[in-house]
């Protein structure tokens, strides 16, 4: 453990801790109400939303996992770049409709929308449970990113409590300021976090190639080490494309992404962000290349590819800058973890607690329950990392993407038409969930790619196609027999942003 490295790291960690608590007094609002605590009063403008949504989607685990995949598997890991290109036109067109109808009816979660659109408790519960299940391991993987950095710094002990104590302390601080400040805390911290990430990556793309003999040498060395895997083989085309497409479709329907979207003050903020957020994709492209740089630098990860980036930084940067970069990654874990825990808490409170246990609860009680659940969610994520083998959390994260994709028919199609029957959507969702989970299990959770009729593809896409086929066929049947499709509390005008006052 280097003293300079540690001091720089602790300075920036202390800075964001203070910001997290100060955020409770930023853009004042009544934090005893869920709308204020969980969505920051829906007042964020373009710049704060850019940092918040970007900080929400590009996590510490991205910083660690994408280069680790490039380090271990080569070009396949680059799928993260095209999917974050595909997704933004999709956001520009689709997401403002969700914002508009949510603003009009005061929806706080995606399940609120489903409840209002389809008049279905079961469908809303399905969406809420899917969101919470998919979010928990996602939070856990933020801790994995933090753990890799703490190990690289020598802060984590080798065994027992000392191994996890720094992680527990960091997450306890996160839990306290999220409880106090709600969504305002990660929004404010995200500004510092992203500036630090940009500085780190800019330094990395100039300093590391200069030390390693240029990008030509880096690609040559990585290609030699990976036996030519820096180019995608033809049999990898379909898996690569379906993985990118499926990931893009799922990205903005994770609960934390919806939470960030609904915190914006109008649809123009969302459209501007759809234009500006690709700057993060550029950043992601450089982040991915860190995996090849680690190969060229002959970093010894000792069997743990997640250590590629932290060890690369330790090898090429002076201690003070390595401490800065480590702080950027750890803070990069705190921001999305905070938003994810708030999103899961919103789902539980609105769509399970209020729906099934306390229908008459006051707005203040609703907010208090959400705050407590956000603490419980973080403790649950800590248990994942501290008490359960890492591979289990990664397996659940793999399932999380597959599961979220099964909510696309009810959420995306539901924004445009109510022709899909609510009972058909519920059955299609169940079929997709079971099939996706089964295919992942059949792969022994080693890959999210499964071959059907000799064509490899992302399991989430296969399950979604079956899900959609079931929904379409059963919708014809249920409409034909005149089975009730519930009362829609929304109207076509509610989906037009310009007709909804911000």
């Amino acid at each position: 453990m280097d003293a300079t490295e540690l001091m720089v790291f602790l300075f920036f960690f202390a800075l964001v801790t203070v910001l997290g608590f100060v955020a409770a007094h930023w853009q004042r609002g009544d934090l005893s109400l869920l709308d204020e605590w969980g969505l920051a009063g829906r007042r964020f403008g373009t710049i704060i939303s850019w940092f918040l949504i970007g900080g929400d989607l590009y996590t510490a685990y991205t910083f660690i996992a994408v280069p680790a995949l490039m380090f271990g598997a080569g070009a396949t890991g680059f799928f993260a770049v095209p999917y974050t290109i595909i997704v933004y036109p999709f956001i520009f067109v689709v997401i403002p409709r969700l914002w508009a109808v949510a603003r009009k009816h005061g929806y706080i979660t995606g399940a609120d929308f489903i409840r209002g659109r389809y008049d279905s408790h079961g469908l809303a519960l399905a969406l809420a449970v899917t969101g919470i299940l998919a979010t928990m391991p996602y939070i856990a993987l933020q801790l994995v990113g933090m753990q890799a950095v703490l190990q690289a710094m020598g802060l984590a002990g080798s065994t027992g409590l000392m191994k996890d104590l720094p992680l527990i302390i960091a997450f306890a601080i996160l839990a306290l300021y999220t409880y106090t400040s709600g969504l305002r805390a990660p929004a404010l911290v995200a500004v510092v976090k992203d500036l630090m990430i940009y500085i780190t990556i800019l330094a990395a793309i100039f300093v590391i190639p200069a030390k390693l003999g240029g990008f030509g040498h880096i690609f040559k060395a990585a290609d030699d080490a990976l036996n030519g895997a820096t180019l995608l083989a033809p049999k990898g085309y379909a898996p690569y494309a379906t993985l990118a497409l499926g990931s893009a479709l799922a990205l903005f329907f994770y609960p934390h992404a919806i939470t960030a979207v609904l915190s914006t003050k109008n649809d123009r903020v969302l459209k501007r962000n759809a234009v500006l957020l690709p700057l993060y994709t550029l950043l992601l492209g450089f982040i991915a290349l860190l995996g090849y740089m680690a190969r060229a630098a002959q970093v010894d990860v000792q069997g743990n590819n997640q250590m590629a980036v932290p060890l690369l930084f330790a090898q090429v940067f002076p201690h003070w800058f390595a401490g800065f970069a480590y702080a950027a990654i750890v803070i990069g874990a705190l921001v999305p973890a905070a938003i994810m825990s708030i999103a899961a808490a919103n789902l539980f409170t609105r769509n399970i607690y209020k729906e099934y246990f306390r229908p008459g609860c006051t707005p203040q009680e609703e907010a208090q329950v959400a705050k407590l659940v956000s603490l419980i969610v973080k403790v649950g994520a800590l248990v994942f990392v501290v008490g359960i083998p890492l591979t289990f959390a990664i397996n659940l994260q793999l399932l999380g993407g597959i599961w979220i994709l099964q909510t696309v028919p009810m959420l995306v199609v539901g924004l445009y038409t109510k022709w899909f029957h609510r009972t058909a959507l519920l059955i299609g969702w169940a079929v997709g969930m079971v099939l996706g989970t089964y295919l992942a299990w059949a792969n022994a959770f080693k890959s999210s790619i499964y071959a059907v009729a000799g064509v490899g593809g992302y399991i989430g896409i296969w399950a979604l196609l079956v899900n959609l086929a079931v929904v379409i066929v059963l919708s014809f049947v249920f409409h034909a027999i005149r089975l009730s499709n519930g009362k829609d509390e929304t109207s076509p005008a509610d989906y037009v942003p310009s007709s909804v006052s911000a």
Side-chain angles (χ1 to χ4, degrees), residues 26-27 40 42-45 48-49 52 183 187 263-265 269:
W26 174 50
Q27 295 194 348
R42 305 180 196 248
R43 289 194 293 269
F44 288 152
I48 293 298
S49 295
L52 182 67
L183 194 63
S263 70
T264 57
K265 66 181 180 183
V269 169

Side-chain angles (χ1 to χ4, degrees), residues 18 56-57 130 171 181 183 186 191 208 211 222 261 290 325 336 348 354 381 408 410 423 443-444 473 479 486:
V18 171
D56 185 15
L57 302 179
T130 306
F171 228 53
S181 306
L183 194 63
V191 177
I208 299 176
K211 288 195 172 184
V261 162
L290 292 175
F348 176 83
K354 187 175 181 180
V408 165
M410 63 178 92
T423 307
N443 264 355
V473 170
H479 285 307

Side-chain angles (χ1 to χ4, degrees), residues 96-138:
R97 293 178 67 87
L98 177 62
W99 175 88
V101 72
R103 172 62 68 114
K104 173 75 177 180
H105 292 275
Y107 299 148
I108 289 179
T109 68
D112 281 353
F113 162 64
I114 294 300
R115 175 78 173 79
R117 178 64 152 162
Y118 296 100
D119 188 21
S120 170
H121 297 280
L123 208 53
L125 180 63
L127 185 71
V129 170
T130 306
I132 293 170
L133 283 177
T135 300
M136 288 290 287
Y138 213 156

